Amino acid sequence: MKEKISLALARRIALAAQGFNDPRPAGTPDRRHLARVLARTGLLQIDSVSAVVRAHYMPLYSRLGPYKLALLDDAAVTRKRMVFEYWAHEASFLPVETYPLMRWRMQRAERGDEMYSGLAKWGREHAAYIEDIYREVAERGPIAASAFEGQKGSGGWWGWSHAKHAFEWLFWAGRITTAHRRGFERFYDLPERVLPPAVLALPVPCPEDAHRELLRISARAHGVATAGDLRDYFRLSPADIKGRIEELVETGDLLPVSVEGWSKTAYLHKDARLPRRIEARALLAPFDPVVFERSRTKRLFDFHYRIEIYTPAEKRQYGYYVLPFLLGDSIVARVDLKADRPAGVLRVHAAYAEPGAPPQTAAQLFEELKQMQDWLGLERIEVTAAGDLGPALLGVISDGRS
């Protein structure tokens, strides 16, 4: 019979696996702390929206507290590079040691198999142009796709859309990679000029071994998860994981368990911690690994979460850029935030409590917002009394000012 674990314990296991049971640094977080978070999460999903701060910066903040953004920026550009960019859950920062584990995806992409179908079709139709762009990167890199906008090259007039397609195709295929970013714009170069030589020298496993290892990383990052959760973390296909989970059960890496309220078998990682308490307090980015798989978020926290950026304003339920608020081992609220940098204001457009949120939710959320305000270098917080938690949050701020 499978071991049974409660839903509350599953939540604590999942949060501990993601680093929420680790003590925050006493001083300024450094590369050691970044490495610790990466060892827990396995990836940081990249997103361009900067309503508060770009999403890849937030998981570090949620786990470490205030840190200098240059910590992640430097880890992605210095000679002692710790991360590289590639497609994992989505576009992500990954530890450089993971590079060989993604080569199978790059090789498939070069064949047109492991990329968006439209891009693959475009690549088949423009193979010569892609090689022209590759040679330009080899000769001139690091270089941005925008450098080719409106310029005439050997293949004729290079428009932005064609250049962008070519760069994206080459990036998927692993023939180029991100050397650095300026703002959010990628500058591309050849992997052999970007990645540490020791990483390039690592053996490239066969796809089956790579999938098995990616599942191990996923299982460690989840703590406890269904097969679908494990597969989704690195966007592996059902065919990719066929037989792999059973192998990991056989080797003792995974233990099949039954989680209260879950209809499917779950798998507990062999090194998962089973804490009795989680003392977390954190705002989570919409693309934090704790919440980026929405069905898992619902199963674990009974928290229905959708990002509404692309929903027309009049149809939004909660707001444009809504962050879940984690307190203890529960998601107790959500808050629609905007960092208004020109005005120096962290704007709280609305705040909503979850059913069963404890009485101290508004006060704890205010403390977290004050910390975020300081981290972002903003002068003050302004709260609109919208949402069922908005008036209480405004009251906490007013009491603090009186």
Side-chain angles (χ1 to χ4, degrees):
M1 292 181 63
K2 288 180 291 190
E3 181 179 344
K4 294 183 179 180
I5 63 176
S6 69
L7 181 59
L9 178 56
R11 280 198 301 271
R12 296 196 298 272
I13 292 169
L15 289 168
Q18 281 288 316
F20 285 99
N21 202 40
D22 297 338
R24 288 186 171 183
T28 303
D30 57 26
R31 287 169 67 93
R32 293 170 302 160
H33 300 107
L34 170 58
R36 187 182 72 187
V37 173
L38 288 171
R40 298 281 187 215
T41 66
L43 56 81
L44 298 172
Q45 186 174 329
I46 300 170
D47 189 74
S48 62
V49 178
S50 57
V52 178
V53 66
R54 289 195 170 103
H56 42 285
Y57 294 112
M58 271 294 294
L60 295 175
Y61 170 74
S62 300
R63 290 154 179 79
L64 300 177
Y67 73 98
K68 295 179 180 179
L69 299 185
L71 178 64
L72 181 55
D73 294 339
D74 291 347
V77 299
T78 61
R79 282 185 170 272
K80 296 182 179 179
R81 176 184 293 267
M82 297 174 65
V83 296
F84 74 104
E85 292 186 32
Y86 193 59
W87 293 98
H89 185 78
E90 293 290 342
S92 302
F93 286 117
L94 299 158
V96 289
E97 295 80 10
T98 310
Y99 180 76
L101 301 179
M102 307 308 294
R103 288 293 299 151
W104 64 274
R105 178 164 283 165
M106 298 173 189
Q107 291 161 0
R108 286 186 188 176
E110 194 162 15
R111 300 195 302 265
D113 295 334
E114 190 82 12
M115 64 168 63
Y116 299 133
S117 58
L119 183 58
K121 180 176 182 293
W122 186 92
R124 289 191 294 271
E125 295 169 353
H126 299 84
Y129 179 75
I130 288 172
E131 293 305 316
D132 287 343
I133 292 292
Y134 177 78
R135 284 191 291 271
E136 289 291 328
V137 175
E139 293 174 9
R140 300 167 56 190
I143 193 168
S146 60
F148 296 94
E149 186 174 4
Q151 295 186 14
K152 188 175 182 180
S154 59
W157 286 98
W158 285 342
W160 162 256
S161 59
H162 267 45
K164 179 64 174 174
H165 274 75
F167 275 93
E168 288 296 325
W169 191 97
L170 288 163
F171 181 80
W172 266 103
R175 295 180 61 189
I176 62 174
T177 190
T178 307
H180 61 268
R181 287 178 180 263
R182 182 179 298 161
F184 199 68
E185 185 178 26
R186 283 178 179 154
F187 281 70
Y188 298 92
D189 209 340
L190 306 184
E192 54 266 35
R193 297 202 293 241
V194 169
L195 297 173
V199 169
L200 294 169
L202 291 171
V204 176
C206 67
E208 293 79 10
D209 286 345
H211 297 155
R212 195 179 295 109
E213 188 58 32
L214 289 171
L215 285 171
R216 284 194 184 98
I217 295 170
S218 176
R220 188 167 58 245
H222 282 96
V224 63
T226 65
D229 297 335
L230 295 174
R231 181 175 67 82
D232 179 74
Y233 209 70
F234 287 97
R235 294 288 204 248
L236 302 173
S237 73
D240 288 333
I241 71 163
K242 187 176 182 180
R244 302 286 86 83
I245 289 177
E246 292 78 3
E247 292 166 356
L248 293 175
V249 170
E250 184 69 23
T251 59
D253 291 272
L254 300 179
L255 172 68
V257 295
S258 173
V259 175
E260 175 191 358
W262 292 14
S263 61
K264 296 181 179 178
T265 296
Y267 298 90
L268 182 71
H269 188 264
K270 65 176 182 177
D271 297 325
R273 292 176 292 174
L274 282 64
R276 294 184 178 182
R277 293 178 62 84
I278 294 287
E279 301 288 351
R281 191 191 74 193
L283 288 162
L284 304 175
F287 307 109
D288 191 291
V290 171
V291 296
F292 65 27
E293 209 296 289
R294 309 304 193 206
S295 66
R296 175 177 168 83
T297 305
K298 177 65 175 174
R299 274 184 280 116
L300 267 178
F301 299 99
D302 193 23
F303 184 74
H304 180 77
Y305 186 41
R306 295 289 183 271
I307 191 164
E308 298 181 281
I309 290 173
Y310 303 109
T311 302
E314 67 276 8
K315 295 183 178 180
R316 291 178 192 140
Q317 183 178 4
Y318 295 109
Y320 177 77
Y321 201 73
V322 174
L323 278 62
F325 179 49
L326 176 69
L327 189 63
D329 64 3
S330 301
I331 296 176
V332 299
R334 64 187 91 202
V335 57
D336 182 17
L337 290 183
K338 168 72 175 179
D340 185 347
R341 291 173 177 83
V345 176
L346 181 61
R347 300 194 184 279
V348 182
H349 293 306
Y352 302 85
E354 287 298 294
Q360 70 270 27
T361 296
Q364 290 292 320
L365 177 56
F366 175 58
E367 292 301 315
E368 190 64 25
L369 290 169
K370 282 200 302 182
Q371 180 179 268
M372 175 174 274
Q373 171 206 331
D374 291 340
W375 178 54
L376 296 176
L378 302 173
E379 297 172 5
R380 63 188 188 279
I381 301 170
E382 291 187 1
V383 176
T384 301
D388 58 10
L389 190 61
L393 185 60
L394 184 59
V396 171
I397 293 177
S398 299
D399 289 345
R401 289 171 180 167
S402 61

